[in-house]
Amino acid sequence: MHHVESRATLGGKLSAVLVAAGSSVGLGNIWRFPYVAGDNGGGAFLLIYILCVLLLGLPVMVAEFTVGRASKRNAVGAYRALNPRWSALGYNSVIAAFLILGFYFVVSGWTAEYMVHSVTGSLAKLSSPEEYGSVFQNFISNPWRPVLYTALFVLLTHFVIALGVQKGIERSSKLLMPLLFVILIALAIHAMTMPGSGEGLKFFFKPDFSKVTASTFLVALGQAFFSLSIGLGTMVTYASYFKPDTNLRHTALNVTILDTMVAILAGVVIFPAVFSAGIEPSSGPSLVFITLPGIFNTMPLSMVWSAVFFLLLVIAALTSTISLHEVITAYLHEEWHMSRRAAAWATTVATMALGAVASLSLGVLGGWKICGLNIFDSLDYVTANILLPVGGFFTSIFVGWRLDKRILKEQITNNGTLKFRIYKLYIFLLRYVCPIILLLIFLDNLGVF
Ligand code: PFF
């Protein structure tokens, strides 16, 4: 096994939390969570989601941190260094990161375009909900504009990655994450003061179990893994840059809390607005791009609210695309012995190509289908519902059963300097609870029960 010398490390405790939270907090929280919750029973979904985060997400995140910091390598090199027979798990990570970027860059591009249109005032010119709907449909199916914005977003991500781990990733997270929280809190306060906001909050928080079916659990699990950025080696890669005294459990807990808070606050921003405008809450992925701009338009200072909201999305997306890009860049750099620069460019060019195809699959390439889904939807489906939970399943098996327990203890207790009172519970969750629940959900999805 080859050793990677002079690897970058992140600064203090806060850096580890902000960098990992930068990855976790993304479009998944603001764009995806509200509509998934809306489609699946609001508050009931929220409860199931929180259970998934605590019982499955948190232990798997700590497991990924362990693998990353113990090996100090990219996702493939990390599993290979700890146990060569498990390197496939690393490949699952790199492939999943690539496929996610394929659709994630496209949606990120939309957020950038909508931010520009908010600032120029062209969004504010529209009036009826139909107009907002047709502008969005025309935009995403346009053959070149969304491709251009996707490419711009890829280049923005490339720029940060090219600056390196400390100057690029760490510095951007330290600047952008606090900004994101400030914007989100301001928007939430504004949303709660709108007339009729109580209805929206009630819908979001009041459990409606009649909408809960077996598939709700799969959806909640997929959402939790996607939102926390686990199951695909992002956290392995980031933890490989953590310092030896970073407390892995506290970092994971803080990241999980921040991520869940942002998802909940996004619901608090969106649902009161939706209800105050008297719109059906479960209006799918377009909630953010059709419904909300229409609602912003009815408010005083509409251009400002709309621009600030889309800026929030751009920031959330950017810190996440950076982390996905880094998974592939670090892999190419360390395993293929490319210079970091060449590795970053290779990742940029490949993801740009996939992003362009995914974007066009919503328009001119709409006829290209995989199992009845266009390319864009199949990338989303395959990663969130298959690759991430499969990655999580094998990560918990690997760390729970295969990894030398001395390594696990060393990492979690920082060589015995930290106490770990719930070690037994942790091992129990990793060995039994995580894999069994993940497996049951899968079998159910395949129609076995
Ligand atoms: N967690 C990000 C979000 O919620 O938008 C998406 C994501 C980033 C998923 C990085 C996976 C990942 F490795």
Side-chain angles (χ1 to χ4, degrees):
M1 102 193 162
H2 98 103
H3 284 270
V4 183
E5 275 140 36
S6 65
R7 252 172 145 260
T9 44
L10 298 170
K13 259 187 228 159
L14 187 65
S15 305
V17 173
L18 288 182
V19 163
S23 173
S24 292
V25 172
L27 296 175
N29 304 61
I30 305 168
W31 169 67
R32 207 166 181 275
F33 182 83
Y35 80 76
V36 169
D39 282 344
N40 287 280
F45 181 82
L46 187 59
L47 268 181
I48 297 170
Y49 177 79
I50 291 176
L51 267 181
C52 286
V53 164
L54 292 178
L55 286 180
L56 306 164
L58 193 53
V60 173
M61 190 183 289
V62 174
E64 290 200 10
F65 281 170
T66 301
V67 170
R69 199 178 54 179
S71 61
K72 297 201 173 31
R73 282 171 177 75
N74 66 88
V76 172
Y79 286 100
R80 179 178 294 141
L82 296 174
N83 188 333
R85 290 172 53 196
W86 285 76
S87 43
L89 203 44
Y91 287 109
N92 182 63
S93 304
V94 176
I95 293 168
F98 177 62
L99 298 181
I100 290 184
L101 276 181
F103 74 92
Y104 205 90
F105 268 138
V106 177
V107 185
S108 306
W110 299 347
T111 66
E113 157 116 11
Y114 267 65
M115 191 181 85
V116 171
H117 285 314
S118 306
V119 174
T120 60
S122 57
L123 266 188
K125 277 199 217 108
L126 312 175
S127 50
S128 66
E130 291 73 34
E131 256 186 306
Y132 281 97
S134 66
V135 162
F136 179 65
Q137 274 314 324
N138 287 342
F139 167 60
I140 66 172
S141 57
N142 184 292
W144 63 271
R145 263 174 39 214
V147 178
L148 193 73
Y149 274 94
T150 302
L152 270 177
F153 215 95
V154 182
L155 289 176
L156 193 61
T157 307
H158 178 91
F159 174 71
V160 177
I161 292 287
L163 287 174
V165 173
Q166 286 156 342
K167 291 206 184 115
I169 301 175
E170 182 174 354
R171 258 214 266 161
S172 60
S173 310
K174 279 177 137 170
L175 175 78
L176 296 176
M177 291 313 287
L179 182 60
L180 179 142
F181 290 119
V182 171
I183 295 179
L184 190 60
I185 290 169
L187 285 170
I189 293 173
H190 174 70
M192 283 193 289
T193 56
M194 285 193 310
S197 67
E199 271 303 294
L201 294 178
K202 207 155 97 199
F203 167 79
F204 186 42
F205 289 111
K206 193 171 154 228
D208 173 7
F209 285 101
S210 69
K211 286 229 181 115
V212 173
T213 62
S215 86
T216 313
F217 288 85
L218 180 76
V219 174
L221 185 82
Q223 173 63 23
F225 273 58
F226 184 82
S227 183
L228 294 171
S229 304
I230 52 176
L232 63 65
T234 314
M235 293 304 177
V236 172
T237 308
Y238 271 3
S240 73
Y241 305 124
F242 284 179
K243 287 196 351 190
D245 63 354
T246 299
N247 183 328
L248 299 186
R249 275 167 297 151
H250 286 179
T251 307
L253 188 64
N254 285 331
V255 171
T256 307
I257 292 173
L258 286 177
D259 188 69
T260 308
M261 266 172 42
V262 172
I264 293 176
L265 277 176
V268 168
V269 170
I270 289 171
F271 289 117
V274 169
F275 274 83
S276 76
I279 295 168
E280 253 303 288
S282 51
S283 39
S286 50
L287 188 60
V288 157
F289 293 100
I290 297 176
T291 316
L292 279 182
I295 297 171
F296 285 135
N297 220 359
T298 62
M299 300 175 182
L301 295 176
S302 69
M303 264 164 76
V304 177
W305 289 118
S306 161
V308 166
F309 178 76
F310 285 106
L311 174 67
L312 171 79
L313 281 168
V314 167
I315 295 174
L318 181 63
T319 49
S320 298
T321 54
I322 291 169
S323 71
L324 289 158
H325 196 295
E326 179 63 19
V327 170
I328 311 173
T329 300
Y331 160 69
L332 292 177
H333 174 46
E334 293 173 5
E335 301 301 309
W336 291 35
H337 306 292
M338 288 174 149
S339 69
R340 200 177 146 89
R341 217 179 117 90
W345 272 116
T347 309
T348 294
V349 170
T351 50
M352 209 183 264
L354 184 64
V357 173
S359 176
L360 293 173
S361 78
L362 298 171
V364 287
L365 300 184
W368 293 12
K369 300 247 192 259
I370 303 173
C371 299
L373 293 178
N374 64 34
I375 310 264
F376 180 94
D377 289 336
S378 27
L379 290 173
D380 182 358
Y381 184 85
V382 166
T383 49
N385 292 318
I386 301 175
L387 296 184
L388 299 199
V390 164
F393 174 81
F394 284 108
T395 304
S396 49
I397 299 272
F398 175 66
V399 178
W401 294 94
R402 278 276 162 274
L403 184 69
D404 185 341
K405 289 295 154 297
R406 273 171 309 181
I407 297 184
L408 182 62
K409 269 212 161 135
E410 238 169 61
Q411 288 304 324
I412 296 190
T413 64
N414 288 354
N415 278 324
T417 56
L418 303 170
K419 285 218 163 56
F420 190 18
R421 291 203 188 82
I422 53 162
Y423 179 72
K424 288 218 170 90
L425 173 68
Y426 178 63
I427 290 289
F428 178 76
L429 284 175
L430 261 192
R431 283 195 160 175
Y432 302 102
V433 179
C434 297
I436 291 173
I437 297 185
L438 285 163
L439 195 67
L440 283 179
I441 289 175
F442 267 117
L443 293 178
D444 183 50
N445 196 33
L446 296 179
V448 173
F449 299 122

